[in-house]
């Protein structure tokens, strides 16, 4: 039986890159029946998109999202920095799917402010080429980490995250994450939002932030590169879904994946805009 959930928010899937855990995401999506699904940016990595690498498992994610929309789930695709090309088309609706840059939802009388979060990142706003170079370096780090983890698992040892170790040991990275969270929360409080929900920094989080002007709940959906997390809201309660704790069966690649519109060709055309 599929688990019914009022609202699911996920971000930073980075389809089209080697680090994307597409099979696991399809497995998770197949286990739930959400009333609303919010894709909070960087779902498709147009920055690093290559025609030679977009496997069937990545197409399955797109197919599953379209299938959910066709069966009644309202899908909001919020643009991020890696899929910023879509901002040229927003806001736009295709049946049950909406593409937009930010979203406000009323949840049981409380206001939720949802956006990707790259607006707070100076490296994205002013030195985009450095950010893109960092993205390629991150992709290489994930590939290297995958090989290291394969060796560790073969030796019966637990997996190890190089990027998490680097983030946690570099003071500037820790400071950036803290500043990001505080800035988002303070702006939400000033604008009288009860919840502020972001992605972008690949750091799953749920915490209450208080200032002299009030309080709000800051939430971050994490990513599907390292953490494999999503936010869920149901019956007035927020929870952080961690894939590793769900014990879900991994989905096999569907050889029948096919669509009338070739997603790879479509992404290639979007990238040229």
């Amino acid at each position: 039986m599929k688990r019914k959930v009022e609202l699911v928010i996920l971000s930073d899937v980075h389809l089209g890159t080697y680090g994307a855990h597409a099979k696991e995401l399809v497995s998770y999506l197949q286990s739930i029946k959400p009333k609303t699904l919010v894709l909070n940016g960087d779902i498709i990595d147009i920055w690093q998109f290559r025609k030679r690498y977009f496997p069937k498992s990545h197409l399955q994610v797109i197919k599953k999202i379209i299938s959910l929309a066709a069966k009644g789930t309202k899908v909001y695709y919020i643009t991020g920095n890696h899929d910023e090309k879509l901002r040229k088309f927003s806001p736009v609706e295709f049946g049950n799917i909406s593409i937009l840059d930010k979203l406000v939802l009323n949840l049981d009388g409380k206001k939720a402010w949802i956006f990707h979060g790259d607006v707070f990142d100076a490296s994205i706003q002013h030195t985009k080429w450095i950010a893109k170079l960092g993205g390629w370096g991150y992709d290489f780090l994930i590939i290297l980490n995958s090989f290291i983890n394969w060796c560790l698992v073969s030796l019966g040892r637990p997996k190890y995250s190089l990027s998490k170790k680097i983030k946690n040991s570099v003071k500037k990275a820790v400071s950036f994450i803290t500043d990001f969270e505080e800035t988002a929360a303070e702006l939400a409080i000033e604008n009288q939002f009860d919840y502020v929900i972001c992605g972008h920094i690949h750091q799953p989080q749920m915490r209450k932030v208080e200032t002299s002007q009030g309080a709000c709940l800051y939430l971050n959906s994490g990513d599907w590169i390292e953490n494999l997390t999503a936010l869920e809201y149901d019956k007035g309660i927020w929870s952080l879904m961690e894939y590793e704790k769900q014990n879900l069966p991994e989905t096999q690649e569907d050889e029948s994946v096919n669509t009338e519109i070739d997603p790879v060709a479509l992404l290639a055309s979007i990238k040229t805009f």
Side-chain angles (χ1 to χ4, degrees):
M1 290 289 292
K2 294 181 183 292
R3 185 164 51 87
K4 291 183 179 181
V5 187
E6 185 177 336
L7 170 65
V8 170
I9 303 175
L10 55 90
S11 65
D12 299 276
V13 179
H14 293 276
L15 295 175
T17 66
Y18 295 107
H21 285 265
K23 290 181 181 179
E24 290 86 348
L25 179 53
V26 171
S27 178
Y28 168 60
L29 291 174
Q30 287 181 339
S31 73
I32 58 174
K33 187 178 181 181
K35 183 178 179 181
T36 303
L37 173 64
V38 177
L39 308 170
N40 198 8
D42 289 1
I43 304 303
I44 301 171
D45 199 319
I46 298 175
W47 272 12
Q48 300 180 73
F49 172 72
R50 313 167 185 85
K51 282 187 178 180
R52 67 179 180 274
Y53 186 78
F54 207 89
K56 288 182 179 179
S57 59
H58 292 217
L59 293 177
Q60 275 187 276
V61 173
I62 297 174
K63 181 181 178 183
K64 184 58 187 175
I65 291 168
I66 294 172
S67 174
L68 285 170
K71 292 176 182 177
T73 296
K74 178 60 184 176
V75 177
Y76 293 102
Y77 190 127
I78 299 174
T79 57
N81 51 298
H82 283 257
D83 43 24
E84 64 182 350
K85 293 287 185 180
L86 295 175
R87 288 175 178 166
K88 296 178 182 290
F89 307 103
S90 66
V92 66
E93 289 190 22
F94 303 96
N96 239 9
I97 301 176
S98 298
I99 298 176
L100 62 171
D101 298 330
K102 57 183 180 294
L103 175 66
V104 175
L105 290 178
N106 187 307
L107 302 174
D108 298 312
K110 294 185 177 182
K111 290 196 301 180
W113 186 25
I114 310 171
F115 56 96
H116 184 62
D118 55 296
V119 67
F120 298 139
D121 195 335
S123 68
I124 301 296
Q125 302 300 320
H126 305 296
T127 51
K128 192 174 293 184
W129 68 272
I130 293 178
K132 288 185 177 182
L133 187 63
W136 295 325
Y138 182 71
D139 211 21
F140 172 76
L141 184 64
I142 293 297
I143 295 171
L144 176 62
N145 206 165
S146 296
F147 173 73
I148 291 173
N149 282 334
W150 179 84
C151 294
L152 289 173
V153 171
S154 299
L155 295 172
R157 299 178 63 182
K159 292 181 179 180
Y160 183 83
S161 175
L162 287 173
S163 57
K164 282 186 181 180
K165 179 66 176 177
I166 292 170
K167 283 180 187 177
N168 293 334
S169 61
V170 177
K171 288 184 179 180
K172 275 193 174 182
V174 174
S175 176
F176 170 76
I177 290 169
T178 302
D179 291 346
F180 179 98
E181 295 175 351
E182 294 293 334
T183 301
E186 287 170 8
L187 280 173
I189 292 169
E190 286 176 18
N191 290 280
Q192 299 183 324
F193 288 103
D194 301 285
Y195 310 120
V196 58
I197 302 141
C198 301
H200 186 58
I201 57 174
H202 295 206
Q203 194 78 10
Q205 182 64 271
M206 288 177 56
R207 71 182 180 96
K208 188 175 181 179
V209 177
E210 297 184 65
T211 70
S212 59
Q213 292 181 286
C216 80
L217 186 64
Y218 166 83
L219 303 109
N220 196 298
S221 46
D223 66 282
W224 285 81
I225 301 290
E226 304 168 66
N227 296 294
L228 281 61
T229 52
L231 291 167
E232 296 184 353
Y233 178 87
D234 198 57
K235 296 181 175 64
I237 298 173
W238 285 101
S239 59
L240 185 66
M241 189 290 305
E242 297 177 72
Y243 179 83
E244 297 295 336
K245 295 181 180 180
Q246 297 300 304
N247 197 29
L248 297 173
E250 186 174 304
T251 304
Q252 299 300 313
E253 285 193 4
D254 185 355
E255 296 297 329
S256 66
V257 169
N258 189 21
T259 57
E260 293 181 9
I261 299 174
D262 181 358
V264 178
L266 180 60
L267 288 172
S269 66
I270 291 173
K271 191 173 182 180
T272 61
F273 273 85

